[in-house]
Amino acid sequence: MKVAIVHEWLDSYAGSERVVEQLLHLWPDADLFTVVDFLPERERGFLGGRVPRTSFIQRLPFARKHFRKFLGLMPLAVEQFDLAGYDLVLSSNHAVAKGVITGPGQLHVSYVHSPMRYAWDLQHQYLKQAGLERGLLGAYTRWQLHRLRHWDRSSAVGVDSIVANSGYIAERIRKAWGRDAAVIHPPVDLDRFTFGEAREDFYLIAARMVPYKRVDLVAEAFRAMPEKRLVVCGDGPSLPQVRAAAQGAPNIAFLGHVSQAELVRLVRTARAFVYAAEEDFGIGMVEAQACGTPLIAYGRGGARDILRPETGVLFPEQTAQSLQEAVRRFQALSLAIRPEACRENALRFSVPAFRTRFRDHVEALLRERVPA
């Protein structure tokens, strides 16, 4: 059986690339296709020496630094990949990869990290943040996103089986494309996040300082709870706003960027890990649970897939008041939340669990296609 794996673009080794890494492990003889490949040499280890086949966008002027600006050409680019000789096509999609053309004799399974957020429900937020709400460039961008939405929905028709990385993404797929999706959570490397039982009296948040992470909300909530200590790890453009929300509260410590070893130590000893963002999935929450650390998380997005009643507390509204109430509920329940239960919960999202579930899903689809 000939297998092709299609990925959007390679410029860093991040969450979606970890999925591709596992697909290459499951189908080591597969050929890899990607719109562009500008992955640094130091991050290419997971490719195992493979040289991906790229599209014409790879050769366009300024593509190395500005390939995302060619998003409008990417549907055309993926449609040019000749996959006629492959029995199984696996796409790793957060933008255009699922749009490859396959025939009736081929099985196409698409693992979807998310539909294009900026083209669907987050369009207005994207335009506002990019300063494109008005003017000719803004009008052109809206037209491009309009075209992308039509192509995005129509190209979903050609996929035989859609797999979402969380129940939240399955809901977004149903809304955007009108398709049902199986849910197989992404692989999380749990080996680095080891189990710990000794707890210290502090709460932890570790995140990139960008607006949607809502670290400012966490700082505001703990500023109003001076008897509870909060440790904040991370850096980014929203750090000044987060510090302003803390207003110099003595119970809030900012550590900035910390090493991986120090982060693991903090997660293993925190009383609870706090998460206020609405995430597609939320790998950081799984890593905290792997350390035996309870969660206090906003109850939308991937947190609903990850957290169980015996491993933490959800808060229903993205407000400081709702988070404060969740902290009080957590304190009342904390003795009933065992670190062992948190670790066991995290194992549902391990690399072996992903491999087993995804391989079984594909093999079941292949068996269905074999004539009786």
Side-chain angles (χ1 to χ4, degrees):
M1 184 174 64
K2 288 197 67 177
V3 181
I5 297 173
V6 185
H7 186 53
E8 251 96 31
W9 52 72
L10 290 169
D11 71 322
S12 66
Y13 177 63
S16 61
E17 286 73 33
R18 294 176 192 276
V19 170
V20 172
E21 179 178 19
Q22 299 310 317
L23 300 184
L24 291 170
H25 176 88
L26 290 169
W27 289 276
D29 295 327
D31 292 326
L32 179 60
F33 295 79
T34 181
V35 172
V36 295
D37 174 17
F38 297 122
L39 194 65
E41 196 62 39
R42 65 182 180 279
E43 298 181 19
R44 302 187 71 87
F46 77 99
L47 295 178
R50 296 176 183 84
V51 178
R53 305 183 191 185
T54 57
S55 74
F56 66 84
I57 294 178
Q58 178 86 15
R59 299 179 294 279
L60 291 181
F62 313 111
R64 177 174 291 275
K65 289 187 176 181
H66 302 291
F67 65 86
R68 288 178 178 83
K69 293 183 179 178
F70 296 114
L71 180 64
L73 291 174
M74 288 185 186
L76 175 63
V78 298
E79 290 173 351
Q80 303 314 302
F81 289 139
D82 183 2
L83 305 181
Y86 294 92
D87 306 292
L88 172 64
V89 176
L90 306 168
S91 58
S92 164
N93 182 90
H94 58 76
V96 299
K98 76 177 191 317
V100 292
I101 297 173
T102 56
Q106 299 171 288
L107 175 65
H108 179 186
V109 181
S110 186
Y111 188 88
V112 178
H113 309 279
S114 176
M116 286 186 278
R117 305 173 188 88
Y118 39 83
W120 291 98
D121 51 311
L122 297 185
Q123 172 188 281
H124 299 291
Q125 180 180 327
Y126 163 75
L127 291 170
K128 184 177 180 180
Q129 290 177 348
L132 295 171
E133 293 177 286
R134 297 180 178 83
L136 287 176
L137 184 56
Y140 173 74
T141 303
R142 289 173 189 274
W143 176 72
Q144 284 275 35
L145 293 175
H146 173 75
R147 292 176 62 245
L148 276 173
R149 275 192 297 277
H150 280 276
W151 178 87
D152 196 35
R153 187 179 178 96
S154 65
S155 64
V157 174
V159 180
D160 297 293
S161 176
I162 297 176
V163 179
N165 73 351
S166 69
Y168 176 64
I169 293 303
E171 292 173 10
R172 296 188 75 237
I173 288 169
R174 193 175 300 113
K175 185 77 172 179
W177 301 342
R179 293 286 306 270
D180 290 331
V183 175
I184 299 178
H185 300 111
V188 183
D189 181 4
L190 302 179
D191 292 342
R192 296 173 299 157
F193 291 85
T194 53
F195 180 71
E197 290 187 90
R199 298 288 149 184
E200 298 178 16
D201 193 19
F202 70 92
Y203 296 82
L204 175 69
I205 181 166
R208 288 184 297 117
M209 299 295 167
V210 291
Y212 90 93
K213 292 290 187 179
R214 295 312 312 272
V215 184
D216 59 326
L217 182 153
V218 180
E220 179 186 348
F222 276 83
R223 188 189 75 222
M225 299 185 290
E227 73 284 4
K228 296 175 178 61
R229 184 174 164 227
L230 175 69
V231 174
V232 181
C233 296
D235 203 349
S238 294
L239 182 58
Q241 289 79 9
V242 177
R243 287 188 177 275
Q247 292 186 3
N251 61 313
I252 301 176
F254 287 88
L255 302 187
H257 176 75
V258 298
S259 68
Q260 182 72 22
E262 177 64 5
L263 177 61
V264 172
R265 186 193 70 80
L266 289 166
V267 174
R268 292 178 79 241
T269 55
R271 186 170 185 180
F273 189 79
V274 184
Y275 214 90
E278 182 177 342
E279 291 279 12
D280 295 341
F281 179 63
I283 287 175
M285 290 183 279
V286 176
E287 293 170 339
Q289 295 267 272
C291 293
T293 304
L295 289 175
I296 302 173
Y298 177 47
R300 287 195 52 138
R304 296 172 61 181
D305 286 25
I306 295 168
L307 190 144
R308 288 176 165 175
E310 65 271 21
T311 69
V313 173
L314 295 174
F315 56 98
E317 298 176 2
Q318 214 172 23
T319 65
Q321 292 75 19
S322 186
L323 173 53
Q324 289 164 9
E325 177 56 31
V327 172
R328 287 190 282 269
R329 284 190 287 118
F330 168 75
Q331 287 187 310
L333 295 169
S334 59
L335 293 178
I337 299 176
R338 298 181 301 107
E340 295 83 0
C342 296
R343 174 70 186 183
E344 183 179 347
N345 181 42
L347 296 178
R348 297 187 294 134
F349 310 101
S350 68
V351 169
F354 172 84
R355 290 176 181 173
T356 298
R357 292 195 64 197
F358 195 83
R359 182 186 61 239
D360 289 352
H361 179 77
V362 173
E363 288 181 351
L365 292 169
L366 288 169
R367 284 195 299 270
E368 291 174 5
R369 298 172 71 86
V370 176

